[in-house]
Amino acid sequence: MRKLFLSLAITLCFGAICNAESFKNDSIKIIFQEKQYKKIDVSSVDKAALEQIKKNYGTYTIKEAYKADDGEYKLVLNKDGVDLTATFTSAGDLIKIY
């Protein structure tokens, strides 16, 4: 009788886990889309944003510039032969350094 009860409990738990996984996979959809940046000329960076960037990172030179649809900039900066990539808001505030 114990074995029967234990077998039944294991079967019910296994069934509940399978149903939970099925429910989770069917009802939750995660969509991750990386922001797309388009290459632009460095001179095309907004002047106010450029002033803010130069104020904080004036010792760096801008090698490449990219712009997202929402106005964010991704810039490749160079100092002493070392490149770094950073994203900035449309106003020129730092978001992240890669």
Side-chain angles (χ1 to χ4, degrees):
M1 188 69 168
R2 285 174 144 175
K3 290 181 182 179
L4 179 63
F5 181 71
L6 185 58
S7 298
L8 182 60
I10 291 172
T11 304
L12 288 174
C13 288
F14 181 72
I17 290 170
C18 289
N19 284 337
E21 285 297 317
S22 174
F23 175 75
K24 186 181 351 175
N25 290 337
D26 290 341
S27 65
I28 299 174
K29 294 183 181 180
I30 298 173
I31 299 173
F32 178 76
Q33 184 176 6
E34 188 175 333
K35 194 176 289 192
Q36 300 294 317
Y37 292 89
K38 295 178 186 173
K39 188 169 185 172
I40 60 171
D41 192 54
V42 175
S43 62
S44 298
V45 177
D46 184 59
K47 291 184 191 252
L50 198 55
E51 287 176 13
Q52 178 72 13
I53 293 166
K54 289 203 181 258
K55 181 174 134 185
N56 295 318
Y57 303 94
T59 58
Y60 289 84
T61 57
I62 301 173
K63 287 179 62 176
E64 297 177 18
Y66 300 86
K67 187 174 183 180
D69 290 336
D70 65 356
E72 283 185 6
Y73 294 103
K74 184 181 279 190
L75 303 177
V76 178
L77 306 172
N78 183 288
K79 180 179 179 182
D80 300 328
V82 178
D83 289 348
L84 69 91
T85 303
T87 51
F88 295 89
T89 64
S90 58
D93 298 318
L94 178 68
I95 297 172
K96 184 176 180 180
I97 296 175
Y98 301 91

